Amino acid sequence: MGMATKEDHVKAGKKETALALRGEGVPLRSLAVLSGRKILDRILEAGHPETLVRQMAPGDFYWLVKKLGEAEAPVLLRFASDEQRQYLLDLEIWEGSRPQETAVSKWLERLFAADPKRLARWLLEQGSALAYQHFSRVLEVIVTEEEDDVYDLPPGCFSVDGVMHVRARDAGKREEVENILRAMADENLMAYEAMLLGLGAVLPAELEEQMYRVRNVRLAEHGFLPFEEAQAVYAPLEPERLAPPGRGSAGGPGVAPRHVDAVPVLPMALSSGRGLVARVFDSEGDPEFQDRLRLEFAGLCNQILSAEGLTAPDWESIARACTRAAAFLNLALERLSDQDPAVAEAYVRANSLVDLFRAGQTLALKVKWEAERWLNGSWFRSVGFGVDFWGEGWGGTLQALLSKRPLYRSPSTPAEKGKDFERMTELASSVDVLRKVMVLDGLLERLVGLYALPHEVPGPGEVTYRQMLFNLWSRLFLGIPPSFEGISLERTRELFRKLRAADVKPPYRMEGFDRRFAEDFMRHADGVDPGTGKVLRESLGAVWEEFREEYAWVSLEDLDGRYAAFVTISTTETAQSGQ
C-alpha cells in the first residue's frame, strides 16, 4: 500500500465532517450518552453549529432538547429549522385534542428567547393558526376611535400604534405577551394589526379541530399515531405468520425520505441494543437498508410512546421506548433465526420492524397468558395467599410476568426492577419458574388434603411455600405429629444436628439429605405424568439447594425464629406441647 497523500487526508476530513453533519457519525450518536451540559458544549464547539443542528432529523433534535433540559432549550432552538421547531411544538403543547395554554406560553417564551424576530415572523406566517388560537384566549383587544377613549381603558393595556390596545387576561403574563406582540408589530405592522382585528372572529373549537387534524398528519409521518391506532403495535402476532426470508424488502414508513440527512440516528443509539438486533443494525455495506432501519426504528419507538399515551414524553420515557423496541425485536429474531445473524437480517429485510416487534412481545404474552390461566385455578390463590407466597425470587419473577406488559425479573436478583424480555434464555427462565411454581402448587394442594392447614390460616405474607414444605418435612423427619405448624427452637436445633451429623465444620453440606427430601415428597405425588414428575423433582431439588445455602454457615446458637426463612421456629405453648 502506498502512503496517504495530502489530498487523501483532505478527502477523509471532508467525509468525516459530512458524516458528522448528516448525523451518522460518532459525534451525533455519542451525544446520547453525554450529560446535557456536555451535549451543549459539543454542539457549540462545532465549526458550524447551526448546520449541524439543522441537518439532524426532527426526532433527533427533539430528543436532544429533552436530554439537554427545557431550561437550556433556547440555545438549541436558536439553531433549529422551522420543521424541527414545529415537531417540538406538535409534541409539547397539546393536551388531548387542544393546545394547552400554559405549555403554549412556555414554549413561545423560549422561542422568543432564542430569536425574537424569527418567532414574530413565524407567528405572522406559518404559525398564524397557533397565533390566532392562543392570542384569542389570552388577550383582550380594545380599539379606540377617539383620543379621549384612552382614559377609559382598563389598567394593564398597552398599544404600539395608539389605536389598538391590548391587555393580557393574566396580569402575570403581561411582560411576556407584550414582548412577543411588539416583536410582531416591528416585523410587520399591517399583518400584526390584521391579526388583532381578526381575533374577535375566531371560533376556537373549529380552529382547534383543524389544527389538531393537521398536527396529527404531521406526526403520523414520524410514527406518532392517535392513541387508539397506536395500540396496534401491541396486537399479538404469531412469529409463524411473519414473511419468511427471501420475500424481498418489506419496506416500511419513510423508506424514501425527502432528504437523506433527515434519517434519525439517536433512537438506535438510545436502544442499548445487544445480540442479534445490534448486529443487524450495525451491519455495513447497504446504506439504503440502514436508512430504512433507522427510519422504521424511530417510527416504532414513537408508536410505542403513542400507545403509552405519552404525548410529551420525558427523556427517560424516550430511552425506555427505544430499549423496549430493541428488546422485543431481539427476542423475535432469536426465536426465528436460531442465533444465525444472516438469517436474522433476512427476516428483517422481509418484514417490517413493527411486525417483528409484535411477534417478539407475543412470545412474552403467551407465557403471561399461561400464567394467568393457571393462576385462576391455583390452590395458593384459592386459600387467600398472594404472589409473595412464592418468595422474593420466584414470586418476583411471577409478579413481573403478570404485569400489564409482561416483564422479566431474574429469580436470583429479585430486588432489581423488571425489564422487557430481550433474549430467549430470559423467556425460558420465566417459563422454568412458572413450571416449578405450578407443580409445587399442585403438590401442596395434595399435602393439605392429607395434613390439614392450621385452624387459623396464615394471612398473606405471613408464610411461604418454603416454610410449609420444611415445617411438614421437619416433623416427618423428626418423627413428631405431621402438620404445617412450626416447631420449637430445641426441635429445630435437633433437626440441624441430625442433618449435619457428617459435617465437621462449616460450610455444612448436609449431603444425601437432598435425595431424602425429594423422595419423601415424591411419594405424595404418585400418579402424575412423567413430565410433571421430572419438573417436580427438579423443583424440590432447587428448594433444597436454597435451604442448604441459607444455613451453610449458620451455627446452632445463631438460629433465630425472626430470621427463619425455611423452618418456622415457634415459641407458643401449643407448638411446644404438640411436640
Side-chain angles (χ1 to χ4, degrees), residues 49-278:
E50 182 174 348
T51 304
L52 173 62
V53 170
R54 291 197 176 193
Q55 292 193 3
M56 294 178 187
D60 286 349
F61 170 79
Y62 174 74
W63 292 3
L64 284 180
V65 169
K66 302 298 284 188
K67 180 67 179 288
L68 181 60
E70 295 175 357
E72 299 288 350
V75 182
L76 282 184
L77 290 170
R78 183 168 73 249
F79 302 127
S81 66
D82 287 343
E83 182 182 7
Q84 291 168 334
R85 290 178 169 210
Q86 184 66 69
Y87 183 94
L88 182 147
L89 291 175
D90 284 340
L91 289 174
E92 288 291 315
I93 68 174
W94 290 83
E95 185 175 297
S97 59
R98 294 182 56 186
Q100 207 272 331
E101 285 184 22
T102 302
V104 174
S105 296
K106 177 177 68 176
W107 282 103
L108 288 183
E109 290 172 25
R110 289 169 180 164
L111 288 167
F112 181 85
D115 191 332
K117 290 180 62 65
R118 189 174 169 199
L119 172 63
R121 185 166 57 253
W122 182 79
L123 287 172
L124 292 170
E125 297 173 2
Q126 299 100 313
S128 60
L130 179 61
Y132 275 96
Q133 186 277 336
H134 182 61
F135 291 131
S136 68
R137 291 187 176 277
V138 302
L139 294 182
E140 181 183 354
V141 180
I142 303 172
V143 179
T144 56
E145 297 181 359
E146 303 292 337
E147 184 175 340
D148 290 341
D149 290 345
V150 298
Y151 298 110
D152 297 326
L153 292 173
C157 288
F158 67 92
S159 175
V160 297
D161 60 3
V163 176
M164 304 190 70
H165 300 266
V166 181
R167 184 170 75 96
R169 299 184 191 276
D170 182 353
K173 292 291 183 181
R174 173 181 175 177
E175 182 178 356
E176 290 83 355
V177 171
E178 183 174 350
N179 288 338
I180 293 175
L181 292 178
R182 289 190 183 280
M184 294 172 68
D186 290 343
E187 180 66 25
N188 188 327
L189 182 60
M190 291 183 62
Y192 163 77
E193 291 176 337
M195 182 203 71
L196 292 184
L197 287 173
L199 292 182
V202 169
L203 299 175
E206 182 177 323
L207 178 59
E208 288 167 5
E209 181 181 353
Q210 180 183 359
M211 292 171 61
Y212 184 62
R213 185 168 56 251
V214 174
R215 173 251 191 185
N216 285 349
V217 170
R218 284 194 299 260
L219 287 182
E221 295 179 356
H222 299 277
F224 283 104
L225 303 178
F227 179 76
E228 293 77 11
E229 294 180 32
Q231 296 302 310
V233 77
Y234 287 119
L237 178 65
E238 293 286 350
E240 291 74 18
R241 294 183 58 190
L242 292 168
R247 289 286 183 87
S249 175
V255 174
R258 294 191 302 272
H259 305 290
V260 176
D261 294 332
V263 176
V265 173
L266 287 182
M268 282 190 184
L270 290 171
S271 68
S272 301
R274 296 178 295 276
L276 286 174
V277 70

Side-chain angles (χ1 to χ4, degrees), residues 128 169 203 258 295 323 331 334 483 521 570 578:
S128 60
R169 299 184 191 276
L203 299 175
R258 294 191 302 272
L295 285 164
T323 302
L331 187 65
E334 284 196 358
S483 77
F521 284 117
S570 177

Side-chain angles (χ1 to χ4, degrees), residues 308-323:
E308 297 296 326
L310 300 173
T311 54
D314 55 26
W315 176 256
E316 290 74 18
S317 299
I318 291 169
R320 188 163 56 248
C322 295
T323 302

Side-chain angles (χ1 to χ4, degrees), residues 371 374-375 378-380 387 389-391 393-398 430-444 465 535-536 539:
W374 163 74
L375 198 64
S378 63
W379 166 81
F380 87 97
V387 174
F389 174 75
W390 299 105
W394 290 354
T397 297
L398 192 60
S430 292
V431 170
D432 180 64
V433 169
L434 178 60
R435 297 285 186 269
K436 286 182 168 64
V437 168
M438 291 169 70
V439 297
L440 287 176
D441 183 80
L443 173 65
L444 287 169
Y465 74 101
V535 176
L536 178 56
S539 304

Side-chain angles (χ1 to χ4, degrees), residues 201-508:
V202 169
L203 299 175
E206 182 177 323
L207 178 59
E208 288 167 5
E209 181 181 353
Q210 180 183 359
M211 292 171 61
Y212 184 62
R213 185 168 56 251
V214 174
R215 173 251 191 185
N216 285 349
V217 170
R218 284 194 299 260
L219 287 182
E221 295 179 356
H222 299 277
F224 283 104
L225 303 178
F227 179 76
E228 293 77 11
E229 294 180 32
Q231 296 302 310
V233 77
Y234 287 119
L237 178 65
E238 293 286 350
E240 291 74 18
R241 294 183 58 190
L242 292 168
R247 289 286 183 87
S249 175
V255 174
R258 294 191 302 272
H259 305 290
V260 176
D261 294 332
V263 176
V265 173
L266 287 182
M268 282 190 184
L270 290 171
S271 68
S272 301
R274 296 178 295 276
L276 286 174
V277 70
R279 297 183 68 172
V280 174
F281 284 173
D282 293 339
S283 62
E284 299 179 355
D286 190 342
E288 290 186 5
F289 176 58
Q290 290 299 312
D291 284 343
R292 175 209 142 186
L293 290 185
R294 293 188 179 98
L295 285 164
E296 278 199 70
F297 188 76
L300 170 60
C301 296
N302 291 343
Q303 188 170 348
I304 291 172
L305 289 169
S306 297
E308 297 296 326
L310 300 173
T311 54
D314 55 26
W315 176 256
E316 290 74 18
S317 299
I318 291 169
R320 188 163 56 248
C322 295
T323 302
R324 169 169 291 181
F328 281 125
L329 286 174
N330 193 75
L331 187 65
L333 293 179
E334 284 196 358
R335 165 67 172 75
L336 294 164
S337 69
D338 196 25
Q339 303 288 350
D340 187 329
V343 176
E345 181 173 325
Y347 268 103
V348 172
R349 288 182 179 273
N351 296 274
S352 70
L353 293 188
V354 169
D355 283 348
L356 286 166
F357 174 87
R358 292 172 56 200
Q361 63 98 30
T362 299
L363 293 172
L365 280 174
K366 291 173 74 173
V367 180
K368 175 190 175 179
W369 294 335
E370 181 181 358
E372 289 176 334
R373 286 193 297 270
W374 163 74
L375 198 64
N376 290 333
S378 63
W379 166 81
F380 87 97
R381 173 165 282 192
S382 70
V383 295
F385 292 140
V387 174
D388 55 355
F389 174 75
W390 299 105
E392 290 186 355
W394 290 354
T397 297
L398 192 60
Q399 187 68 57
L401 184 62
L402 293 169
S403 302
K404 179 182 179 181
R405 310 285 184 209
L407 301 172
Y408 171 69
R409 186 181 298 164
S410 171
S412 61
T413 55
E416 294 182 0
K417 293 183 178 180
K419 60 182 284 291
D420 293 303
F421 285 94
E422 183 178 10
R423 300 181 182 275
M424 288 300 295
T425 53
E426 295 171 345
L427 201 62
S429 174
S430 292
V431 170
D432 180 64
V433 169
L434 178 60
R435 297 285 186 269
K436 286 182 168 64
V437 168
M438 291 169 70
V439 297
L440 287 176
D441 183 80
L443 173 65
L444 287 169
E445 185 173 15
R446 286 193 176 199
L447 293 173
V448 168
L450 297 171
Y451 314 104
L453 285 170
H455 294 297
E456 293 185 8
V457 178
E462 295 180 8
V463 68
T464 69
Y465 74 101
R466 296 190 187 104
Q467 291 164 326
M468 288 192 66
L469 289 173
F470 274 92
N471 287 352
L472 176 60
W473 185 76
S474 298
R475 287 173 168 269
L476 293 171
F477 182 79
L478 294 172
I480 58 179
S483 77
F484 295 101
E485 294 182 346
I487 60 178
S488 69
L489 178 58
E490 188 53 45
R491 287 289 194 183
T492 304
R493 287 173 176 164
E494 179 186 354
L495 169 69
F496 279 97
R497 276 194 293 267
K498 291 184 177 183
L499 293 177
R500 296 171 174 178
D503 294 315
V504 178
K505 60 180 181 179
Y508 301 108

